[in-house]
Amino acid sequence: MNEHYPFINPPLPYSYDSMEPYIDTKTMELHHDRHLQTYVDNLNQLLKENPAYQGFSLEQLVLYACSMPDGLRTPIRNNAGGVYNHLLYFSTLQGNGPQQPSGALGSLLQKQYGSYNAFQQRFTEAALSVFGSGYAWLVQKPDGSLDITRTANQNTPLSFQTRPLICIDVWEHAYYLKHYNKRADYIKDWFAVADWEQAGKNFLS
Ligand code: MN
């Protein structure tokens, strides 16, 4: 990923069929090559027209969108958020078989939620209760503790000291071809491909 404009859509670090049978090949291809690509293209077009922000990193664009001028604030939030959220989503999937959180992240998760099963229930409830399109996230708060949050559309929970660790995209384009309208089935399948090793690297212990 380029640090600044012009942003690129990096190839997935695995093949489109890597998440079978949990997330189907066609969904992975369309999701990365069309949906994410559109956010990258739209963001680049916005920055082409607003060169003052061409030196901003993706995280800076997300963080400073709220203080940008009217007319730029919302499209930057949607498109920089769309790029940021999808990059995190794709980077925290793996197709090598179900994992469980381990290491420092695993210990804290166990301490806060009681067990991985209990955490999965809480996270599932959060992901199911996103009304319309959005994401559920596991984040690390400024005090170091974990939290489960939800965002609508392409909003992100990123703030100056809150670190997103892993997220599930619950827009219908993330699951409709295989799971139709059954978001609960997709969430269950997502747990089988969640990359807890990467989430652990995103976690600052
Ligand atoms: Mn998506």
Side-chain angles (χ1 to χ4, degrees), residues 31 35 39 86 89-90 135 154 169 171 173-174:
H31 201 173
H35 292 274
Y39 288 112
H86 281 103
Y89 173 74
F90 288 125
Y135 294 76
Q154 294 298 353
D169 182 342
W171 285 58
H173 66 231

Side-chain angles (χ1 to χ4, degrees), residues 111-127:
K111 187 175 157 210
Q112 275 192 236
Y113 297 98
S115 66
Y116 183 50
N117 267 350
F119 163 78
Q120 284 180 298
Q121 283 181 22
R122 294 272 300 276
F123 193 84
T124 298
E125 285 162 15

Side-chain angles (χ1 to χ4, degrees), residues 61-164:
L61 289 166
V62 170
L63 288 170
Y64 292 104
C66 57
S67 52
M68 287 181 187
D70 288 350
L72 198 53
R73 187 179 306 139
T74 300
I76 288 285
R77 185 181 64 217
N78 288 342
N79 291 291
V83 176
Y84 179 89
N85 295 348
H86 281 103
L87 289 179
L88 185 72
Y89 173 74
F90 288 125
S91 74
T92 50
L93 292 179
Q94 57 79 34
N96 301 316
Q99 294 181 350
Q100 292 210 5
S102 60
L105 173 60
S107 302
L108 184 56
L109 195 137
Q110 182 120 7
K111 187 175 157 210
Q112 275 192 236
Y113 297 98
S115 66
Y116 183 50
N117 267 350
F119 163 78
Q120 284 180 298
Q121 283 181 22
R122 294 272 300 276
F123 193 84
T124 298
E125 285 162 15
L128 278 175
S129 66
V130 174
F131 182 75
S133 298
Y135 294 76
W137 307 77
L138 179 66
V139 301
Q140 187 175 16
K141 295 196 293 184
D143 65 4
S145 66
L146 301 173
D147 198 14
I148 296 168
T149 62
R150 299 171 297 165
T151 54
N153 304 315
Q154 294 298 353
N155 296 347
T156 89
L158 184 70
S159 69
F160 289 97
Q161 292 178 64
T162 299
R163 297 176 59 82

Side-chain angles (χ1 to χ4, degrees), residues 27 57 75 103 120 132 137 178 197:
T27 293
S57 69
Q120 284 180 298
W137 307 77
K178 177 179 172 65
E197 194 180 325

